[in-house]
Amino acid sequence: MRRGVVIFILVNILIITFLVRSVFTLLSLLVEDAAADAIHRSDIPSPNSSLIETRPQIIPKIIHQTYKNETIPEHWREAQQSCIDLHPDYEYILWTNEKSREFIAAEYPWFLDTFDGYEYPIQRADSIRYFVLAHYGGTYIDLDDGCNRRLDPLLAYPAWVRRTAPTGISNDAMGSVPQHPFFLRVIETLQSYDRSWLLPYITVMYSTGPLFLSVVWKQYMGDKPSESGRVRILMQDEYNRHSWSFFTHHKGNSWHGKDARLIFWMGGHWMFLTVLGFVLAGVVGFALWWAYGRLLLLGAQYKYRYRKIPGAATVSRSTSPLRMPNFLRRVSAKKDEECGVSETTYELYSRRD
Ligand SMILES: *[C@@H]1O[C@H](CO)[C@@H](O)[C@H](O)[C@H]1NC(C)=O
Ligand SMILES: *[C@@H]1O[C@H](CO)[C@@H](O)[C@H](O)[C@H]1NC(C)=O
């Protein structure tokens, strides 16, 4: 085999090993069905069942929501009100930009620089929900999720998040006891994921959004948490698909405009995007391989000409001080052949072996 090919393959193996190592969790998410931690529908008493009363309620009765200020847009008031109305005995906290920043400054000052430094407001809206869950516990609900029934049965688990299709978890509805190890891990991990990925959507998804949360979740599960550290998964049917589901989706206009809609779209399709990324990487790899092969070949021809035909080389150098473009050189090699130096191709073959 050509030495150049061996080097090329080795370099590629190194790069691929590095890439696979860094995206291993992402890849393993592809095959994670969360079945082991799913909250089974038979576990959830029907909306008015007396069984609800008999279950422990360990998550505090607090509902957290976020918006930039106190003025909730019209299209979300109904959803917001449905949660408030169903839970008169719950504390309700709306985390506005100002309140969020004060909270971080007072309780988690080590995070304040990162929090202020986030390029997109949605990153602050994402991160604040992890902090308030880790701190106070309770249930976080996105403003576009209305409540369809009381959350009480979900208070029985130390922590729960919601499953997204086809894989991974989302951060639009989740619950936790205070100081739950998973959410502690999440807030500790945020800083190391605060990176820019060129595209705003990927940056948001992977620094604070559902993709970030899914990766931390997958790694957390790898540590085999104890029963009290377990994170239970609310499956799609129980989330918002049926009359007995917990939430209803209100498709309001996004409060961040088009950008956020794209982010949410990407949130729903990140697995597709990941696969697309790998295909692109494959195409780029192939193109590199092809270009590398061409270069090797040209290099071999070039070296050959100047080493093996000293007479011709001297002549061509003295007559053309500028480097000739490749196609011209090929012509000049042909001329050499006509002049009786005909080993060019033959010699090239021997260099390849
Ligand atoms: C549960 O009870 C409430 C009132 O207490 C009632 O409005 C609702 O229809 C009941 N739901 C079901 C599924 O029976
Ligand atoms: C909240 O923000 C909106 C626009 O972004 C503004 O119209 C509204 O007055 C603000 N509300 C408060 C209470 O500052």
Side-chain angles (χ1 to χ4, degrees):
M1 236 202 301
R2 277 174 282 176
R3 198 176 41 164
V5 175
V6 176
I7 295 175
F8 182 83
I9 292 176
L10 280 180
V11 168
N12 269 279
I13 289 178
L14 271 179
I15 293 176
I16 290 172
T17 314
F18 174 75
L19 284 179
V20 166
R21 253 183 66 94
S22 39
V23 298
F24 180 77
T25 314
L26 277 183
L27 291 177
S28 63
L29 267 175
L30 278 170
V31 293
E32 174 61 61
D33 63 1
D37 294 306
I39 297 174
H40 297 287
R41 64 180 56 170
S42 53
D43 287 346
I44 301 176
S46 81
N48 288 349
S49 164
S50 56
L51 271 179
I52 294 174
E53 307 293 319
T54 67
R55 308 181 110 216
Q57 297 184 337
I58 57 178
I59 293 182
K61 290 187 166 181
I62 310 173
I63 292 175
H64 304 277
Q65 297 202 293
T66 59
Y67 191 64
K68 61 181 172 189
N69 64 24
E70 308 272 349
T71 318
I72 307 288
E74 196 59 48
H75 51 266
W76 281 330
R77 292 224 185 109
E78 191 190 328
Q80 180 201 26
Q81 203 57 46
S82 67
C83 290
I84 295 175
D85 289 348
L86 269 175
H87 304 94
D89 51 333
Y90 281 43
E91 187 181 352
Y92 177 86
I93 309 180
L94 179 68
W95 292 94
T96 59
N97 287 356
E98 199 187 337
K99 194 166 175 164
S100 302
R101 193 179 183 281
E102 275 169 17
F103 168 72
I104 294 290
E107 299 288 351
Y108 300 93
W110 51 266
F111 190 71
L112 192 60
D113 282 346
T114 314
F115 190 74
D116 286 340
Y118 279 135
E119 192 173 344
Y120 308 100
I122 198 168
Q123 290 176 298
R124 277 183 281 278
D126 274 336
S127 53
I128 189 67
R129 64 189 73 172
Y130 308 136
F131 277 94
V132 298
L133 283 184
H135 193 84
Y136 298 104
T139 305
Y140 170 83
I141 308 170
D142 255 6
L143 267 181
D144 56 356
D145 279 320
C147 293
N148 192 43
R149 58 173 287 188
R150 278 177 61 89
L151 296 166
D152 298 341
L154 294 176
L155 304 184
Y157 308 100
W160 60 270
V161 290
R162 137 176 136 69
R163 175 111 177 109
T164 45
T167 185
I169 56 173
S170 183
N171 65 359
D172 51 11
M174 48 197 178
S176 169
V177 297
Q179 307 290 306
H180 189 277
F182 173 63
F183 284 99
L184 291 180
R185 162 90 67 107
V186 168
I187 62 175
E188 276 166 15
T189 313
L190 274 167
Q191 277 173 330
S192 59
Y193 277 74
D194 179 18
R195 272 178 266 160
S196 179
W197 293 90
L198 294 178
L199 294 178
Y201 322 112
I202 297 180
T203 301
V204 170
M205 285 293 299
Y206 202 37
S207 63
T208 56
L211 185 50
F212 157 78
L213 193 69
S214 298
V215 168
V216 179
W217 167 65
K218 182 69 190 161
Q219 285 167 348
Y220 175 82
M221 284 201 304
D223 297 350
K224 306 257 179 284
S226 66
E227 187 58 33
S228 65
R230 222 170 138 195
V231 178
R232 303 301 297 268
I233 309 295
L234 188 69
M235 303 308 261
Q236 300 230 301
D237 279 347
E238 284 69 33
Y239 172 61
N240 69 359
R241 289 198 175 159
H242 300 282
S243 59
W244 40 266
S245 303
F246 283 95
F247 302 97
T248 51
H249 192 67
H250 289 240
K251 275 232 183 293
N253 298 323
S254 159
W255 49 290
H256 298 280
K258 277 189 200 137
D259 256 27
R261 245 170 286 156
L262 232 154
I263 290 169
F264 292 133
W265 181 85
M266 295 192 65
H269 297 80
W270 63 267
M271 200 42 70
F272 160 75
L273 293 165
T274 309
V275 171
L276 187 73
F278 273 96
V279 170
L280 275 181
V283 170
V284 169
F286 180 77
L288 279 177
W289 157 253
W290 182 82
Y292 185 79
R294 303 288 299 180
L295 278 178
L296 266 190
L297 200 63
L298 286 175
Q301 285 172 349
Y302 180 83
K303 270 187 205 155
Y304 168 74
R305 199 165 311 113
Y306 286 104
R307 216 154 24 112
K308 299 277 174 166
I309 321 169
T314 324
V315 171
S316 73
R317 257 187 207 156
S318 57
T319 50
S320 61
L322 293 172
R323 276 192 173 188
M324 275 184 283
N326 289 328
F327 65 93
L328 285 182
R329 265 196 237 141
R330 234 174 264 149
V331 173
S332 72
K334 269 190 193 151
K335 270 192 201 151
D336 289 342
E337 276 172 48
E338 281 159 16
C339 299
V341 189
S342 54
E343 298 102 323
T344 313
T345 35
Y346 182 77
E347 283 290 329
L348 278 177
Y349 275 119
S350 65
R351 276 191 62 84
R352 274 191 213 168
D353 293 336

